[in-house]
Amino acid sequence: MSPEVVPQPHPSPELSTATLRGLERASGDLAAASIAAMDSQLPWFRRMPADQRASVLLVIQTGAANFVEWLRDPRQAIRLTAEAFRAAPRDISRWVSLRQTVELVRIAIDMLEQQLPILGRDTAERAWLTEAVLRYGREIAFAAATSYAAAAEARGAWDARLEALMVDGIVRGDAEESLLSRAAALGWDLAAEATVLVGNPASDDPPAVVFDVRSRAARTGRAVLLGVQGSRLVVVLGGPVAGSTGHDVLAKMSEAFGDGPVVAGPTVSSLAEAHHSAADAISGLRAVVGWPAAPRPVRSGELLPERALAGDPEAERQLVERVVRPLVEAGGSLLETVEAYLEAGGVLESCARTLFVHSNTVRYRLRRVAEITGHTATDPRDALVLRVALAVGRLARARGLW
């Protein structure tokens, strides 16, 4: 086997001690000249507060001082250039963008190229210093890109944890103040409507699930929060979902879920109320097995009979409030008529004979029931909703709940 080839640093002339000392003394003046050039060329830099400008000066001073050490041993390029950015405050990437950093580095390297080579004692040293400035500038540029990439990764990881905490808080019904503060940190519109969808994740790989959900949400132009909680995917969708357009949005978002039912909770007025939507959606997901023909996605309000049979007190309350109580308050024997019609197995004539009224009277009353409750007794699914609601209403009245 041939011996391993160890890369050697680029050959350079022997810099004199006087030249190296001159370079060290010039680093401070170089940093000041760089700041002056940035101040004159970059309007946004002039508007920066004094503490932020001082942080930039610290980075330049460290980079200029490390240049001399880099000349002594170019193999230390990665360590020395990285130290220049480690010396800066951790939040520097938040108020200086990567594009702005490139502009700052360009000006600083220009000043290095103008002022340092002239300190060489002869033509050979000056040529070497010119080349060294260019190579060092390249290392600085790569160090800046690495620093911003690391900051972006850390920020992304923090945002992901914050988002997971938000979704978990929505599911558990945490305090409104903590939820809203986290939402504001993520840039969520606190006044936007919210709808919670739950179902099975499409993959065992959480990053793949997150990417698919976010891609679909971006295509629909909606903000989204999501969390994978074991075998359950919870998605909080921002914006209105009423009408055919809203239904299309829910249908498209449901494609990001895996096999099995997808349940959408009620749309609430703001993120502060999203825990109500989440509670209904999760209750519906547990009860949807009772309706094999349920559409995908299905609204939790369409699963009230199954949720009530599963023991959900909120579903029982909604059935009483939406069906039974309006019929009782409407009067006109509407409640008695729908009960008789269901007991007669949906046979209009039998119901009319039971009530001692004309068939047209029964038809009129059933139309009124449909107008008041939104459920048509002649439809099999609506008939089930009405039947369960009436049973729940009797039980609630027997317990003195209304």
Side-chain angles (χ1 to χ4, degrees):
M1 296 179 60
S2 60
E4 181 181 0
V5 177
V6 179
Q8 299 296 326
H10 191 76
S12 63
E14 186 69 26
L15 296 178
S16 65
T17 303
T19 300
L20 291 174
R21 288 180 178 174
L23 292 173
E24 290 175 347
R25 288 193 299 270
S27 61
D29 294 337
L30 175 65
S34 299
I35 290 295
M38 294 171 186
D39 192 72
S40 64
Q41 298 179 32
L42 303 175
W44 60 265
F45 185 78
R46 292 194 296 270
R47 296 192 294 268
M48 289 177 62
D51 59 334
Q52 296 179 4
R53 292 163 60 95
S55 298
V56 175
L57 177 61
L58 175 62
V59 174
I60 297 174
Q61 287 176 335
T62 304
N66 287 344
F67 178 66
V68 180
E69 297 298 324
W70 182 83
L71 288 175
R72 293 193 177 102
D73 186 1
R75 287 171 295 189
Q76 300 186 69
I78 296 178
R79 179 181 66 82
L80 292 174
T81 53
E83 283 181 358
F85 290 94
R86 281 200 294 268
R90 291 187 176 182
D91 61 346
I92 190 172
S93 61
R94 295 187 177 181
W95 39 264
V96 178
S97 68
L98 179 58
R99 180 188 59 80
Q100 293 172 333
T101 300
V102 171
E103 294 178 349
L104 297 178
V105 169
R106 178 181 56 79
I107 293 176
I109 296 302
D110 286 344
M111 298 305 298
L112 279 171
E113 191 175 359
Q114 293 173 18
Q115 299 190 18
L116 291 188
I118 62 177
L119 299 177
R121 62 182 178 179
D122 52 32
T123 304
E125 279 195 356
R126 286 192 289 271
W128 163 243
L129 287 174
T130 299
E131 181 181 350
V133 167
L134 297 178
R135 294 174 59 207
Y136 187 67
R138 182 191 65 182
E139 300 297 340
I140 285 287
F142 279 116
T146 302
S147 175
Y148 273 80
E153 290 178 355
R155 187 163 54 248
W158 169 249
D159 288 349
R161 290 192 293 269
L162 187 62
E163 182 177 7
L165 287 173
M166 278 195 61
V167 174
D168 183 64
I170 290 172
V171 170
R172 293 188 292 109
D174 277 352
E176 177 181 333
E177 291 77 10
S178 61
L179 177 68
L180 296 183
S181 63
R182 292 169 181 167
L186 289 176
W188 182 275
D189 183 4
L190 300 182
E193 297 181 355
T195 307
V196 177
L197 296 89
V198 294
N200 298 322
S203 170
D204 294 332
D205 183 19
V209 174
V210 171
F211 176 79
D212 192 18
V213 173
R214 293 202 184 283
S215 298
R216 296 181 186 278
R219 287 195 291 270
T220 60
R222 301 301 180 91
V224 70
L225 298 171
L226 71 150
V228 180
Q229 301 179 335
S231 60
R232 183 175 64 194
L233 172 61
V234 181
V235 174
V236 183
L237 186 65
V241 291
S244 59
T245 302
H247 179 76
D248 291 341
V249 171
L250 292 179
K252 292 177 181 177
M253 291 304 302
S254 67
E255 295 175 1
F257 289 79
D259 296 336
V262 177
V263 180
T267 300
V268 293
S269 59
S270 67
L271 193 65
E273 305 294 325
H275 60 280
H276 296 303
S277 181
D280 278 19
I282 292 173
S283 172
L285 187 64
R286 287 194 295 262
V288 70
V289 65
W291 185 14
R296 176 187 159 107
V298 58
R299 284 284 199 166
S300 60
E302 300 177 36
L303 292 165
L304 289 178
E306 289 76 16
R307 290 169 54 193
L309 293 175
D312 183 0
E314 175 62 20
E316 296 179 5
R317 185 193 67 79
Q318 291 185 34
L319 284 172
V320 171
E321 294 296 329
R322 296 181 183 182
V323 178
V324 182
R325 191 184 295 274
L327 291 178
V328 172
E329 293 175 352
S333 302
L334 296 183
L335 183 62
E336 179 186 4
T337 300
V338 72
E339 286 179 339
Y341 180 81
L342 294 175
E343 290 299 326
V347 180
L348 193 66
E349 291 74 12
S350 298
C351 177
R353 286 195 298 269
T354 301
L355 297 175
F356 300 102
V357 296
H358 194 274
S359 297
N360 289 338
T361 303
V362 175
R363 292 190 181 93
Y364 168 76
R365 292 177 180 177
L366 293 180
R367 282 198 300 270
R368 287 282 297 140
V369 169
E371 293 171 358
I372 293 172
T373 66
H375 298 287
T376 304
T378 56
D379 178 81
R381 176 65 190 176
D382 286 356
L384 173 64
V385 175
L386 292 170
R387 183 179 290 276
V388 173
L390 295 176
V392 168
R394 297 188 197 100
L395 293 173
R397 175 169 290 182
R399 295 195 298 267
L401 298 181
W402 70 285

